[in-house]
Amino acid sequence: MLGFLWARQTGLDSPVQLRRAEATRRVLSLELNKDRDVERMHENGINSLDIEPVESRYMLSGGADGIIVLYDLANLRKSQSYTCKALCKVGKSHPDMHKFSVETVQWYPHDTGIFTSSSFDKTLKIWDTNSLKLAEVFHFDGTVYSHHMSPLATKHSLIAVGTKNPKVQLCDLKSGSSSHILQGHRGEVLAVCWSPRYDYILATASADSKVKLWDVRKASGCLITLDQHNGEKSKASSEAVNTAHNGRVNGLCFTSNGLHLLTVGTDDRMRLWDSSSGENTLVNYGKVCNTSRKGLKFTVSAGCNPEFVFVPYDCTIAVYTIYSGQKISILRGHYNSVDCCVFQPHFQELYSGSKDCNVLAWIPSLREPVLDEDPKKSGHQAHINPAFKDAWSSSEDEG
């Protein structure tokens, strides 16, 4: 890091390079923080977490008990040890509480005044954060597995909803009506995700083993059905044979720049796709254990080099480099299956929710001087994760 500081001061490197170097170091040093707890509020497993993008201070959690909790992550007292307190919750005493498991919670992308939740009770609910009252309710024919609002759209307020019905529903937040549907899947839609790069591009994943990319402005809708074999086995066949996985596809996540899409399936595989061409990049992540029968919420880093993906893996969270497929570390701390995790990019923190009813905070470890008698091993690269070494080197090392 001293090499980066020197290069920055002399003008050899830009501030962006220094920021990326420190962000990468912090992600590589993530550990279960013993000084920070998240107040335990759920009586059953936690299915979804979301941190609002405006201040990155408030976090939502949705649980299998039907409860929604709003946490304040800030350490206002500046004490070394503290607990992230629950500010409020939609619990059993609330008249509009979800009747069954809450599968997805999400903040309105542009301010903290609104948040959304969807549930197995076949509803999508829009909430006023300040009054904790319902602003709107959308009803569906089948169980709701997932919903998502575009993080950057300004020309539309569409919420994509995946349900037990193979048709993807698009609900308009402005009009309060279900504007139109996207037809093409033959099984229940387990995950939906808008592109962080293009306003109108949507990815959907289904139990029919397919992942589809849509342009919601077009009448035909579907742009491409992803094919794990890149067309090699389907040149003489119809699109119907194109599958992304050899099992149910229950997780989707775009990279932070939107150029690639990550998918996970019950075939214990994770795949990386070029989001413009739909090509399988064939990055090998090895076995990525996935026994979930519903949606799996995983997340990616932002502002690092290389970038990382955090995937629930039984009772742990596996950390991979996105473009090389290397497993960097395993985060251990939960006592039961992990169902969701969310990355906080401002401070490179990670929060995870599990069937053990706990939300855990994974925080970068503090820098500590390393004492070593051998001067050859005491260089600043000696104790750095291999992934960090590959991506960064100081001018001294290059010489």
Side-chain angles (χ1 to χ4, degrees):
M1 186 53 64
L2 290 176
F4 286 114
L5 290 172
W6 177 83
R8 171 69 190 100
Q9 289 175 346
T10 56
L12 295 176
D13 286 346
S14 69
V16 173
Q17 289 177 291
L18 177 60
R19 185 165 63 246
R20 284 178 178 170
E22 178 60 12
T24 306
R25 183 202 69 80
R26 288 172 65 84
V27 170
L28 291 172
S29 64
L30 282 175
E31 62 182 14
L32 184 62
N33 193 279
K34 299 177 182 178
D35 296 322
R36 185 185 307 187
D37 292 322
V38 180
E39 187 175 0
R40 181 168 170 150
M41 299 294 292
H42 289 276
E43 301 171 1
N44 212 320
I46 298 164
N47 297 322
S48 180
L49 296 170
D50 191 43
I51 298 175
E52 47 85 15
V54 181
E55 299 178 72
S56 292
R57 173 177 173 179
Y58 300 105
M59 181 173 71
L60 290 169
S61 67
D65 49 11
I67 293 174
I68 303 169
V69 183
L70 195 160
Y71 298 95
D72 186 350
L73 302 179
N75 181 8
L76 298 178
R77 297 183 179 179
K78 305 298 180 183
S79 55
Q80 181 176 350
S81 299
Y82 73 101
T83 299
C84 299
K85 291 292 185 180
L87 296 180
C88 56
K89 74 172 183 176
V90 180
K92 294 180 179 179
S93 61
H94 198 288
D96 297 315
M97 172 191 172
H98 283 289
K99 296 178 181 178
F100 302 120
S101 174
V102 176
E103 291 301 299
T104 309
V105 290
Q106 187 190 3
W107 287 100
Y108 181 63
H110 306 297
D111 66 62
T112 57
I114 299 174
F115 68 88
T116 58
S117 63
S118 58
S119 165
F120 276 179
D121 64 9
K122 305 179 182 179
T123 64
L124 164 67
K125 297 185 176 183
I126 316 299
W127 301 87
D128 182 310
T129 308
N130 297 318
S131 64
L132 218 62
K133 293 181 180 179
L134 275 181
E136 190 65 65
V137 184
F138 295 91
H139 296 273
F140 304 94
D141 295 331
T143 299
V144 181
Y145 289 103
S146 175
H147 79 270
H148 192 236
M149 285 181 286
S150 172
L152 77 162
T154 55
K155 296 181 180 179
H156 72 78
S157 299
L158 297 176
I159 305 176
V161 184
T163 69
K164 196 167 186 178
N165 190 316
K167 299 175 182 177
V168 180
Q169 308 280 336
L170 294 177
C171 301
D172 194 331
L173 195 59
K174 289 182 180 178
S175 66
S177 63
S178 183
S179 60
H180 59 288
I181 58 176
L182 304 175
Q183 300 187 62
H185 284 296
R186 296 184 178 181
E188 49 197 359
V189 180
L190 301 174
V192 294
C193 187
W194 291 95
S195 166
R197 191 177 186 89
Y198 302 108
D199 290 23
Y200 294 94
I201 301 301
L202 174 70
T204 61
S206 169
D208 63 6
S209 304
K210 297 179 185 297
V211 173
K212 292 178 178 288
L213 293 176
W214 313 78
D215 185 336
V216 298
R217 297 170 297 180
K218 296 186 176 182
S220 58
C222 187
L223 292 173
I224 191 170
T225 300
L226 302 185
D227 179 17
Q228 60 183 303
H229 305 294
N230 286 333
E232 292 301 317
K233 292 188 176 182
S234 58
K235 288 180 179 178
S237 305
S238 67
E239 184 197 52
V241 301
N242 292 358
T243 57
H245 288 263
N246 297 321
R248 297 157 62 92
V249 190
N250 59 351
L252 291 172
C253 188
F254 279 95
T255 54
S256 58
N257 59 15
L259 294 177
H260 290 84
L261 174 69
L262 285 151
T263 63
V264 293
T266 55
D267 57 356
D268 293 339
R269 289 290 180 265
M270 179 164 63
R271 293 195 166 92
L272 180 70
W273 310 83
D274 185 309
S275 60
S276 60
S277 67
E279 181 182 2
N280 181 2
T281 63
L282 303 177
V283 174
N284 183 13
Y285 299 95
K287 182 180 179 180
V288 181
C289 186
N290 178 5
T291 58
S292 175
R293 299 297 297 171
K294 50 186 183 179
L296 188 72
K297 312 294 194 300
F298 65 106
T299 189
V300 295
S301 66
C304 301
N305 190 352
E307 295 286 5
F308 304 94
V309 55
F310 308 91
V311 188
Y313 192 111
D314 286 335
C315 301
T316 68
I317 301 163
V319 185
Y320 300 87
T321 53
I322 292 179
Y323 300 109
S324 70
Q326 181 183 6
K327 185 188 289 187
I328 297 300
S329 62
I330 295 287
L331 304 179
R332 295 180 171 86
H334 283 289
Y335 298 105
N336 208 329
S337 297
V338 180
D339 286 324
C340 58
C341 55
V342 62
F343 185 71
Q344 206 272 49
H346 289 190
F347 301 107
Q348 292 76 47
E349 299 170 352
L350 184 75
Y351 294 85
S352 59
S354 163
K355 284 186 172 66
D356 62 12
C357 308
N358 292 319
V359 178
L360 297 184
W362 309 87
I363 311 298
S365 62
L366 296 175
R367 285 183 176 276
E368 293 182 1
V370 179
L371 301 178
D372 198 316
E373 294 180 358
D374 187 351
K376 294 182 180 180
K377 295 182 180 180
S378 61
H380 73 281
Q381 290 283 349
H383 302 276
I384 295 179
N385 190 292
F388 190 82
K389 282 184 179 180
D390 291 342
W392 304 98
S393 61
S394 71
S395 56
E396 294 174 359
D397 293 326
E398 292 175 352

